[in-house]
């Protein structure tokens, strides 16, 4: 099972590179860990994901857009709690120098391994046939107890070198990237690359509200880069050090928060369904352990080949954020509710998705290997990216069947006419079957072929990616035919 899933990830990573979706950052220098570059097709896919989100969120009368700067006043991150708390506990192996995030190291142990460890730590106590749940919960208790954690770590072996009792004590590691503003590299000049886009929205709450004359409830949406100095980056675009977020903060009257929380939960899950994700590949994960300020929190998880992973969080953040910024800035962030004639600090419902992480989920979701018949009647495996047409990087490919008899001229004219409206691609090399396969592999929904019948009646063959069915459409109605389907 693991082998097969690794295999699929390897295939997707290799396809992504070969066809220009995603490249390793600074590859000619050996790459930079946790950073990736989007190539010609990847940049279109990512942009389409972001556009779909932007439309779904801001084409409403109660959500405004924002693009705040990445560098912010350092006090923002004190108020938000990031300076103090945005840390992961980490350990190093003294023998092979591998570095681990403690929670991930412990999560990845099998129940069997956990049981063995508990037996070693507490001789005589876990000798019976305890149920898995009991083992898991006993283990979790110890993992969450700072005093017991040390002896737990010394009972474990390093997954990389296999040596036992080689872990250092757990240390807190702040995930924010630091830099300096201006010419002086001293502590008064420290600024951070934002680890989330949300704070730019919170501090602009009243600016946006008064400029747009919105009344509560209303939201502010933003797409932008975020940076986290993750201890372990892995699984391709899943956990990277530089990534993009798509966040919307919805400001509501206290007491109405849970109703809006449910509303946004439903809306956000539907967004993934509408873009073609299969229901069985998505699930809710409710947070049992809530951040001290949160009243409720759920993650939308996607079933990646390596397991379930969060792609979006929906959080009821109460009035924590605005209250903290009031306290740290000394400026009022209260809203005056004209109808109720009262002033209050709004509650916030947050929807926080990763653009790059969802982009990877859409890529994996689209990836299929299918048995298909070639033009010669032979069976072969075709690789096809079944993107929702809205997300497909190229919307239509145009082929002349042969490079003579005036076909290239007609095909070029079609390309020229469609290009202002759609992202199209012209290909005249190789057999048509091969050209279809090349487009399947990058998820192009429609291939338009100019053939001998075109010369007689001004129609073309359109072949649909998923069904592989072909229809004939008049050149004059191509644009409207495509518009309807895209
Ligand atoms: P995780 O537990 O996976 O580290 P998180 O709970 O810290 O994630 P949030 O702070 O809620 O994540 O961030 C919201 C979204 O931003 C996530 O659902 C994810 O899609 C995206 N995201 C967070 N960290 C990363 C990262 N290192 N690389 C890519 N995307 C990320």
């Amino acid at each position: 099972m693991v082998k097969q899933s690794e295999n699929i990830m390897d295939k997707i990573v290799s396809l992504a590179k070969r066809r220009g979706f995603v490249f390793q950052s600074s590859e000619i220098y050996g790459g930079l860990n946790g950073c990736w570059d989007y190539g010609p097709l990847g940049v279109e896919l990512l942009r389409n994901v972001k556009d779909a989100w932007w439309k779904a969120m801001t084409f409403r009368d109660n959500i405004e857009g924002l693009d705040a700067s990445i560098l912010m006043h350092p006090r923002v991150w004190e108020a938000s709690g990031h300076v103090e708390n945005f840390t992961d506990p980490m350990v190093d192996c003294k023998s092979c120098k591998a570095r681990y995030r403690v929670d991930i190291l412990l999560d990845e142990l099998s129940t069997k391994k956990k049981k063995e460890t508990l037996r070693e730590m507490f001789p005589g106590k876990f000798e019976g046939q305890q149920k898995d749940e009991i083992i898991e919960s006993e283990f979790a208790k110890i993992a969450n107890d700072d005093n017991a954690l040390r002896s737990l770590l010394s009972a474990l072996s390093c997954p990389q070198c296999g040596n036992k009792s080689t872990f250092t004590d757990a240390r807190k590691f702040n995930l924010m990237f630091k830099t300096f503003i201006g010419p002086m590299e001293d502590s008064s000049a420290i600024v951070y690359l934002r680890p989330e886009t949300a704070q730019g929205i919170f501090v602009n709450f009243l600016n946006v509200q008064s400029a747009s004359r919105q009344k509560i409830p209303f939201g502010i949406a933003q797409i932008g880069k975020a940076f986290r100095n993750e201890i372990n980056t892995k699984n391709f675009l899943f956990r990277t050090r530089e990534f993009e977020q798509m966040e919307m903060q919805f400001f509501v009257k206290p007491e109405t928060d849970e109703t809006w929380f449910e509303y946004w939960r439903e809306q956000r899950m539907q967004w993934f369904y509408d873009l073609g994700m299969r229901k069985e590949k998505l699930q809710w994960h409710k947070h049992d352990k809530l951040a001290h300020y949160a009243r409720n929190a759920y993650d939308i998880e996607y079933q990646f080949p390596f397991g379930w992973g969060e792609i979006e969080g929906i959080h009821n953040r109460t009035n924590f954020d605005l209250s903290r910024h009031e306290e740290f800035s000394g400026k009022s962030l209260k809203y005056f509710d004209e109808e109720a004639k009262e002033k209050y600090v709004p509650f916030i419902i947050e929807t926080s998705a990763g653009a790059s992480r969802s982009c990877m989920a859409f890529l994996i979701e689209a990836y299929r290997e299918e048995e298909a018949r070639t033009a010669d009647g032979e069976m072969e495996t075709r690789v096809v990216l079944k993107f929702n047409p809205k997300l497909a990087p190229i919307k239509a490919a145009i082929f002349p069947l042969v490079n003579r008899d005036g076909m290239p001229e007609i095909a070029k004219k079609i390309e020229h006419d469609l290009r202002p409206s759609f992202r199209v691609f012209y290909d005249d090399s190789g057999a048509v079957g091969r050209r279809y396969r090349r487009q399947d592999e990058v998820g192009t929904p429609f291939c338009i072929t100019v053939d001998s019948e075109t010369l007689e009646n001004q129609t073309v063959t359109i072949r649909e990616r998923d069904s592989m069915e072909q229809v004939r459409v008049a050149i004059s109605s191509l644009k409207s035919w495509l518009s309807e389907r895209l």
Side-chain angles (χ1 to χ4, degrees), residues 86 101 196 228 230 237-245 247 287 299 310-313 315 350 352-358:
F86 195 53
R101 229 173 94 172
E196 61 175 29
R228 296 183 187 180
E230 299 279 1
L237 308 176
F238 185 81
R239 189 174 302 289
T240 56
R241 296 199 165 112
E242 174 174 341
F243 55 97
E244 264 184 296
Q245 290 188 313
E247 294 196 301
H287 287 218
D299 294 337
E310 169 187 340
I311 47 177
E312 171 156 353
H315 310 128
E350 164 180 79
S352 170
S356 11
R357 210 183 262 185
S358 330

Side-chain angles (χ1 to χ4, degrees), residues 217-236:
F218 80 98
I220 304 177
Q222 174 168 225
I223 298 178
K225 290 256 179 170
F227 303 82
R228 296 183 187 180
N229 200 0
E230 299 279 1
I231 297 169
N232 296 116
T233 57
K234 63 175 185 180
N235 293 328
F236 196 33

